[in-house]
Amino acid sequence: MRMTCPACGCDGSYRFKVVNGFTLRKCDLCWLEFCAPMPTSEEIAVCYKSFYDHVSSLERMRLNAKRNLDYLVEKWGLWRTAKVLDYGCGENVFAAVAHGAGFQAWGFDPIRPPPGPFTVRDIAGKWAWITLWGVLEHLTDPLATLTRLCAELAPGGRMALTTVSMETGIPYQHIPPIHTLYFTRKAIEALAGRAGFKVIEYRNYEMELDSDMYLSILLRTVPEPYRLQIFHTLPDYVEVPTNEVFVVLERDDL
C-alpha cells in the first residue's frame, strides 16, 4: 500500500506500527511518521473529550509562554506593535501573557474556540507573526494549514512553532489520534518549502516543567517501592530538555 506523505508529498512509505487502532507509516524520503489513514474529525473529537495533557498546568503554560515571547523579542526582534496570531491557542495563555507585556497578540483555535478577550473568530489579517505552540503534530493536513497561514502573513512575515521530533534524543510516544505526525528536520524543511516558507531557525526545545512531574517522568521505570523513597530539593519548576524542536519559518517572497 502506498500513501502520500503529508510533509514532502512522496508516495513511498511503509507501515511499521498500529497504536490505538490507528496505523502508523514512515516516509521513505523525509522519514516523517504519520497516521495513514488520518483519523476523522469525529474520532479526534471523541479522543479529546478524555484527553488530559499531564504537563499542561496553567502556571507551566504561563512560564513557557513568557519564555517563548522573550526569546522572540531577544533573538528575532519582535516589536510591541507587531500583529501576532497564536494559532491553535487552546486556553489562549500565550496571547494573554503577550498582552500583559504590552504586545498585540490574539488567539485562534479551530477546535475549541477559547472564551474571553484577546481572541479572533477569523485568521484573516496580514499578521507579522503567527505562532503554533505544540500544534503541528496534531494536524491531519499540515500542508493545507501552513499554506493558509502563510497567505495570512504580511510579506516577510514569520512563524514560530514547536512540535514533536524523532531526532532530539529524548524518547517520545506514539499516541494517535492525539498526535498524528512525528517530524524530522528533513520533513519540516520539505513541508515548509511546499507551504511557501523557508526555515531560518531549527533547534532542540527546552521548557519549564514542574519538578515533581519531571522526577516522576525520570523514575517511571523504577519499581514503586523504591520510587516512593526518592525525594528531591529541586525548585518548583526546572528547565528541561524535551522531545520537541523550536522552529522559525519566514515567508519566502523571493
Side-chain angles (χ1 to χ4, degrees), residues 1-58:
M1 180 180 184
R2 301 177 71 84
M3 303 289 291
T4 299
C5 172
C8 71
C10 167
D11 65 356
S13 64
Y14 61 91
R15 168 177 166 166
F16 71 96
K17 185 180 286 190
V18 175
V19 181
N20 298 335
F22 294 91
T23 298
L24 290 164
R25 301 184 70 87
K26 191 178 186 78
C27 175
D28 292 334
L29 184 60
C30 72
W31 311 306
L32 178 82
E33 295 178 351
F34 60 98
C35 287
M38 284 289 179
T40 65
S41 56
E42 290 78 13
E43 288 171 326
I44 292 173
V46 168
C47 189
Y48 266 103
K49 285 181 180 179
S50 59
F51 175 68
Y52 174 69
D53 183 355
H54 65 274
V55 300
S56 292
S57 71
L58 188 57

Side-chain angles (χ1 to χ4, degrees), residues 6 48 84 145 156 173:
Y48 266 103
V84 180
T145 298
Q173 291 181 306

Side-chain angles (χ1 to χ4, degrees), residues 1-228:
M1 180 180 184
R2 301 177 71 84
M3 303 289 291
T4 299
C5 172
C8 71
C10 167
D11 65 356
S13 64
Y14 61 91
R15 168 177 166 166
F16 71 96
K17 185 180 286 190
V18 175
V19 181
N20 298 335
F22 294 91
T23 298
L24 290 164
R25 301 184 70 87
K26 191 178 186 78
C27 175
D28 292 334
L29 184 60
C30 72
W31 311 306
L32 178 82
E33 295 178 351
F34 60 98
C35 287
M38 284 289 179
T40 65
S41 56
E42 290 78 13
E43 288 171 326
I44 292 173
V46 168
C47 189
Y48 266 103
K49 285 181 180 179
S50 59
F51 175 68
Y52 174 69
D53 183 355
H54 65 274
V55 300
S56 292
S57 71
L58 188 57
E59 181 59 23
R60 182 202 68 87
M61 288 191 288
R62 289 194 185 105
L63 287 171
N64 287 294
K66 185 179 186 306
R67 281 171 57 91
N68 293 338
L69 178 66
D70 289 346
Y71 184 79
L72 294 181
V73 172
E74 295 166 9
K75 175 66 184 289
W76 292 106
L78 175 64
W79 61 100
R80 290 184 184 276
T81 57
K83 289 180 59 181
V84 180
L85 174 70
D86 186 30
Y87 184 87
C89 64
E91 300 298 321
N92 208 29
V93 173
F94 182 77
V97 168
H99 266 274
F103 290 84
Q104 304 301 305
W106 288 267
F108 174 84
D109 198 299
I111 304 298
R112 296 175 294 182
F118 318 133
T119 62
V120 291
R121 295 182 177 273
D122 192 303
I123 66 171
K126 294 305 175 185
W127 306 90
W129 280 85
I130 295 177
T131 59
L132 289 83
W133 307 121
V135 172
L136 199 61
E137 66 270 22
H138 298 275
L139 302 179
T140 57
D141 191 345
L143 178 60
T145 298
L146 290 194
T147 300
R148 182 188 179 200
L149 293 177
C150 186
E152 297 303 335
L153 279 169
R158 291 169 176 168
M159 174 181 290
L161 64 90
T162 59
T163 192
V164 174
S165 168
M166 299 150 48
E167 300 173 322
T168 65
I170 304 295
Y172 64 96
Q173 291 181 306
H174 294 101
I175 52 171
I178 296 299
H179 290 173
T180 56
L181 305 161
Y182 305 82
F183 286 91
T184 64
R185 178 165 189 157
K186 194 173 182 179
I188 289 285
E189 290 174 342
L191 175 62
R194 295 174 72 204
F197 290 101
K198 56 185 176 183
V199 177
I200 57 176
E201 181 178 7
Y202 185 101
R203 63 174 173 83
N204 289 356
Y205 181 58
E206 300 80 32
M207 70 186 306
E208 296 284 339
L209 186 63
D210 177 285
S211 56
D212 289 332
M213 179 58 67
Y214 184 50
L215 186 63
S216 71
I217 293 172
L218 293 177
L219 300 178
R220 62 175 46 161
T221 61
V222 176
E224 185 174 0
Y226 304 123
R227 188 169 65 246
L228 294 176

